[in-house]
Amino acid sequence: MGVTVNLLDGNAIPAVGYGVYQVPDDAAEVALRHAIECGYRSVDTAAMYGNEAGVGRAVRASAVPRSELFVTTKLWNDDQGYDTTMRAFEKSLSTLGLGYVDMYLIHWPLAKEGKFVDTFRAFQKLKADGLVRSIGVSNFTRAHLEELIEATGEVPVVNQIELHPRLAQNELREFHASLGIVTEAWGPLGQGSTLSIPEIADIAAAQSKTAAQVVLRWHLQRGTVVIPKSAAPERIESNFAVFDFELTDEQMTLIDGLDTGDRIGADPDIMW
Ligand code: NAD
C-alpha cells in the first residue's frame, strides 16, 4: 500500500489518497484507473458525490488486488439514524459493487439533529458484521468527538476535516493525537487557493517541485493523511510524487505561519 498511517483499530490507511468530490461518475472511473496506475491505493468518495458506481467500476477493473486498495465512502446527512444508516450503507455497497468498504465516515455531525450517536452505533454493527473495516467521522469538532466517544465507548479512527495552510487546525489535531485519532485533510490544497501563496511558490522554486507537491509534503510531515483531487492526469500523477523530497524545518515553519483560520467550507458548528 506504499506509505501508510496506522489506525487505532490495527488497520492502516495510505498517506495519500485520491479524492473524487465533484468528479462526475464516468470521469471518476477513468480518473481513478489512472490514479491507481500512478500508485494511489486509496480513494475517497461519498454517497453525496454521486460517483460511487464509477469508483466501484475502477476498483473492480483494477489489476491491483482489492485487498491492496483502500475505499472510503461516507454516509450523507439525510440518512443519519440507526435504521436509515443500515439502509444507506447497503445502497452504497451495492452501488460500489464491492463486498466491503475499508472506511465509512459520518459526512457531517449535524449536531442539532442529535442523531450521530445512533448513526455511529449502526457503524459499529457494520464493522462487527465485517462489512466495514474501519469507522470514523468527518467534520467533527472536539465537542462532537467527546460526546460520541462518551456515548459509544469507541474512538473513531479518523476525523476528516478541512485542513490546509490557511486553516492549520492545530488545536483539533492535538486533540486527535491525544486520543490516537488520525487527522485526514479534505481540501488539502485549499481547493487550489493555497497554490498561489508567494511563500509556497518560493519554497516550490527552491525545491524544484510544484506548489501542490510542497503543500502535500507539509501535510505529510505533520502526520496528516491527504486526499487531493484533480481531474487532470498529469496533476493526479504529480500529486502522488511527494515521497522523494523533504521540506526543511525552516520551510515547515514558514508554511505553519500562513494559518489565518479561514475556512472555505461550512463551519461544522453552525451547519444545519
Ligand atoms: P483540494 O484541496 O484537493 O483541491 C482540489 C482543486 O485543486 C482541484 O479542483 C484543482 O483545481 C486544484 N489542483 C489539484 N491538484 C493541483 C495541482 N497539482 N496543480 C494545480 N492545481 C491543482 O480540494 P477538494 O477536492 O475539495 O478536497 C479533496 C477531497 O476531499 C475531495 O475530492 C473529497 O474526496 C474530500 N472532501 C471531503 C469533504 C467533507 O466534507 N468530508 C469536503 C470536501 C472535500
Side-chain angles (χ1 to χ4, degrees), residues 75 79-89 104 119 122-123:
L75 176 96
D79 294 316
Q80 282 216 30
Y82 192 93
D83 293 338
T84 39
T85 294
M86 298 305 274
R87 283 196 291 276
F89 177 77
Y104 202 28
T119 302
F123 276 34

Side-chain angles (χ1 to χ4, degrees), residues 97-139:
L98 301 176
Y100 68 93
V101 302
D102 295 271
M103 190 160 75
Y104 202 28
L105 303 178
I106 301 179
H107 209 140
W108 288 89
L110 251 66
K112 286 179 203 124
E113 299 215 355
K115 294 184 187 166
F116 65 66
V117 168
D118 282 345
T119 302
F120 203 65
R121 290 209 169 101
F123 276 34
Q124 290 177 299
K125 168 76 173 140
L126 292 167
K127 192 176 102 178
D129 289 348
L131 296 170
V132 174
R133 297 276 159 92
S134 293
I135 54 178
V137 296
S138 178
N139 298 303

